[in-house]
Amino acid sequence: MTEKETKQHKKFIEDLRKDAQAVEHQSRAASKDMNFIDAEGGMWHDWNDERFKNRTKLQFDRISQAIGVAVGKWNTNRVGVIFKPSDEATSDENAELENGIYRGDFRENGGKLAVDNAVDEVFKCGQACFKLGTKFEDEEDPENDNQRSEWRPIYNSYDHVFWSRQSKAIDKRDAPYVTEIEPFTIDSFEETYPGKAANSAFDTRSVWGHSRFNWRLHKDDLINVASRYEKIEKKRTVFVYNNLEENKVEVYSEEQHEKEKSRLKKNSLIIFIRKRKIIKQEVWKYVFSGQEFLEKPRRVIGRELPIIAMYGIRSFVDGVEHSRGMVRKQIDPSRLFNTIVSQTAEVASTSGQKIPIVDADSVKGLEDHYADIQNSSFLPMNPQRDNDGKIVAGSGLLGFYEPGQLDGNSAAIFQLITQFMTDTLGGVPQDTLDPNASGKAINAILKREDLGTQQYFDNIANAIEWSGVVWEGIRREIYTSGRTVNTIGFDGTESRQILGKIELDSQGDQVEINSLEGKRFKSYSDSGPQYETQREETVEIAKGILEAISRIPGAEQYSMPLLFTIFDNMPSDGMRIVKEFNRKLMLIQGIVKPETDEEKQMVAQAQQPQEDPQQKLVEAAANQQNAEARQLDASSLDKVASAEKKAAETQKILTETQGNKVGLLMDIRDRQLKQAETGFLN
């Protein structure tokens, strides 16, 4: 290593040692909590070892039951992240897309496993961590550089994660660095770092005087490698342009500007505004052993430290950080409880048996009978005789050893401990809920039980909210225009979106959609049922409302939207055809917005004027009538012409006939003309 690297390595080792010393008391206590609740026989570790050696050691675990209830509440009411716009340039649609990407990443890339492990350890020992990172989208494709965000669990972080000792924030956002310890076997170390000296960066024996890493392997077979994540602020020069064509401001780094400046100069609609210095926060990773750096320093994606801290009950006493979970305050009462129970069991195992005390000569040769007193109907004994050979009455049996009894103080302590643990941890439902109690009383009991874990859930929500900030910084770098991402809607609907896709608007101009470039969001914690659980709840609520409005006059207008909601949220895969048909109806009627290109095309086709079959019949009938009318007109004209011809002939006849026939012929002519006119009008 160079002189600079040697100095830096020495500083990192010293920082790690001091950071570990600052939380030694907390690390010891957390390790004790985890062993007490999870390790086999852990409730008796370091407790009356000499006195209870080879004695009955029963374990009655009341704490795991309370932890199980708390974890169950978490499983049914998880805390997630929700993003909202933080400036006017960011719309609700942008936030909806951001939330969809986050949910897709969280579900597909280890979010549940990492967070659930942290929550479990928080309830047990009061502190935990998980990590956010990135991975390649396709590890087998060397040409594919696309990455995705990933959640990684950190087990027993009290022994493996050490924060900068000056950090005070509960989410550690103010920490300038954090160090993670990863144990390697010698074989795995040599395989991962060939040619490097197997020397631990951190050894608990050198800090605390002993090794607390509880491995089955011998402690000398483990090499602890340290990874330090450090925030670094660097000054950067950026070039700002005003893009009049797209009505937005564009910012280029020095590297980007060097590549794009010729193109920018040619475009008269892109105007240079200014060149300025900015401070950009980066995170760098240093991997080292106790002797040297094992990897070259590298920048990790994102703006914040990638490790998320999570706490249960946390406080500062005399400037020193303290944290605890549900186990810490229950260790002493649990041990005392188990001690009394174990002693009671020993007493019960010998209860009712009086052990005879006899003269050894009186049972000589009869030892087998006394060894199995419980199965003997009588006990023989050698008689004791006096000097005259007479049997001495009452000799041989000297008395009885009385079995132990549970004293009154132990019984009182037993009841006191039981009541204390029930009050502090909560009992099982049959212990806390009176079946004859009113609904108001039951709700009051449940609220009281929830208050016991309320602070835990509030601190868990703080950690989840901060993880959203860390993830958003990663998303900005890896999810750029052109990327196809998987999204999950608030109700669990899955889709695929192309970021920064170019489409034509109604005027035929090109517009960019699904773009998150330059968008800013705020991260909030959001609790409640998610995905299938929420869908089931939505269906039940909609069914209840539908039943209620059936009895309300004039409320029929809500029936169809409620039916649409029920079909859309049914979780059963067997209803796929019905759900698809329901989705099409909602799209056509404009109840929901199209999300995919296929849906957009379908809606566009549905909005085009369609030919009505009934209208076609009406038009056909009208055309037929018009044709018939035209035929009728021609026939009528023929009739008129024929009538006029006949009238002319009649007039000729009149001139040739006698005068007394004139009136009659005129009447005939008039009738012929009227017939022709009548036929034409009809």
Side-chain angles (χ1 to χ4, degrees), residues 56-84:
T56 301
K57 297 180 181 179
L58 301 180
Q59 290 190 158
F60 282 77
D61 184 4
R62 294 285 299 275
I63 309 175
S64 291
Q65 174 184 293
I67 293 174
V69 171
V71 172
K73 291 178 181 177
W74 163 260
N75 290 334
T76 56
N77 198 39
R78 296 176 181 274
V79 176
V81 174
I82 185 169
F83 295 96
K84 296 182 179 180

Side-chain angles (χ1 to χ4, degrees), residues 333-594:
S334 294
R335 282 175 168 170
L336 188 54
F337 181 90
N338 286 329
T339 299
I340 296 175
V341 169
S342 298
Q343 290 179 337
T344 304
E346 288 182 339
V347 171
S349 65
T350 59
S351 178
Q353 297 184 28
K354 295 181 179 181
I355 302 175
I357 303 173
V358 298
D359 186 288
D361 291 336
S362 66
V363 295
K364 189 175 182 179
L366 303 172
E367 292 85 357
D368 292 341
H369 291 276
Y370 286 85
D372 191 15
I373 295 177
Q374 292 181 341
N375 295 322
S376 300
S377 58
F378 65 92
L379 296 174
M381 183 179 292
N382 296 321
Q384 301 294 314
R385 300 178 184 273
D386 59 14
N387 294 333
D388 297 331
K390 295 181 180 179
I391 297 176
V392 179
S395 63
L397 182 62
L398 303 179
F400 291 92
Y401 176 80
E402 298 289 341
Q405 300 292 329
L406 186 65
D407 64 276
N409 290 333
S410 296
I413 293 174
F414 185 85
Q415 292 181 351
L416 178 64
I417 295 170
T418 303
Q419 186 60 45
F420 171 80
M421 297 184 74
T422 299
D423 291 342
T424 55
L425 293 176
V428 293
Q430 58 265 30
D431 293 335
T432 58
L433 299 181
D434 180 2
N436 297 320
S438 65
K440 184 177 181 180
I442 290 175
N443 286 334
I445 293 173
L446 294 176
K447 287 182 179 180
R448 185 191 69 192
E449 298 295 333
D450 289 342
L451 289 177
T453 55
Q454 186 274 335
Q455 189 172 353
Y456 289 89
F457 282 102
D458 191 50
N459 289 338
I460 289 171
N462 288 333
I464 299 298
E465 183 174 298
W466 177 244
S467 74
V469 176
V470 177
W471 176 87
E472 206 269 335
I474 295 174
R475 191 275 307 161
R476 288 186 184 183
E477 293 192 45
I478 63 175
Y479 294 135
T480 55
S481 294
R483 283 289 303 274
T484 300
V485 294
N486 297 328
T487 64
I488 297 179
F490 184 72
D491 59 354
T493 304
E494 300 180 21
S495 64
R496 288 178 63 83
Q497 303 285 346
I498 300 177
L499 299 180
K501 184 179 179 182
I502 303 299
E503 289 189 352
L504 297 179
D505 60 13
S506 57
Q507 284 76 32
D509 298 328
Q510 290 186 347
V511 293
E512 188 179 37
I513 65 171
N514 293 341
S515 176
L516 296 178
E517 296 291 337
K519 307 303 180 183
R520 298 186 179 274
F521 305 92
K522 288 183 179 180
S523 171
Y524 298 90
S525 59
D526 180 49
S527 62
Q530 299 179 11
Y531 309 135
E532 281 75 12
T533 303
Q534 187 183 52
R535 287 186 171 194
E536 293 173 1
E537 182 181 14
T538 301
V539 169
E540 292 302 317
I541 293 174
K543 287 166 63 177
I545 298 176
L546 187 62
E547 181 180 355
I549 66 172
S550 64
R551 299 187 294 269
I552 302 175
E556 297 82 3
Q557 57 182 329
Y558 295 100
S559 298
M560 288 309 298
L562 286 169
L563 284 174
F564 282 140
T565 301
I566 291 173
F567 284 125
D568 189 51
N569 287 278
M570 287 187 302
S572 174
D573 292 336
M575 300 293 289
R576 180 179 58 83
I577 297 177
V578 176
K579 294 184 67 174
E580 290 178 355
F581 179 75
N582 182 69
R583 175 77 179 173
K584 291 180 180 179
L585 289 179
M586 290 193 296
L587 287 166
I588 292 173
Q589 296 190 21
I591 297 176
V592 296
K593 295 180 179 179

Side-chain angles (χ1 to χ4, degrees), residues 253-296:
S253 65
E254 282 187 295
E255 296 79 6
Q256 292 173 330
H257 186 259
E258 189 65 28
K259 296 178 181 179
E260 299 288 337
K261 63 181 180 180
S262 59
R263 178 185 65 85
L264 296 172
K265 287 182 179 180
K266 293 178 181 178
N267 194 333
S268 59
L269 295 178
I270 300 180
I271 302 173
F272 174 75
I273 299 177
R274 64 181 176 272
K275 172 183 174 182
R276 59 170 295 190
K277 295 282 187 179
I278 64 170
I279 297 177
K280 184 177 181 181
Q281 181 172 285
E282 299 177 348
V283 178
W284 284 73
K285 180 181 180 181
Y286 304 85
V287 181
F288 56 95
S289 66
Q291 184 173 332
E292 59 188 325
F293 285 108
L294 301 175
E295 299 177 5
K296 290 183 178 181

Side-chain angles (χ1 to χ4, degrees), residues 216-234:
R216 294 182 180 180
L217 296 172
H218 192 272
K219 57 190 176 184
D220 294 332
D221 292 333
L222 292 176
I223 305 299
N224 298 320
V225 174
S227 295
R228 173 172 167 134
Y229 299 90
E230 184 174 356
K231 294 179 185 177
I232 297 177
E233 292 185 346
K234 292 188 176 183

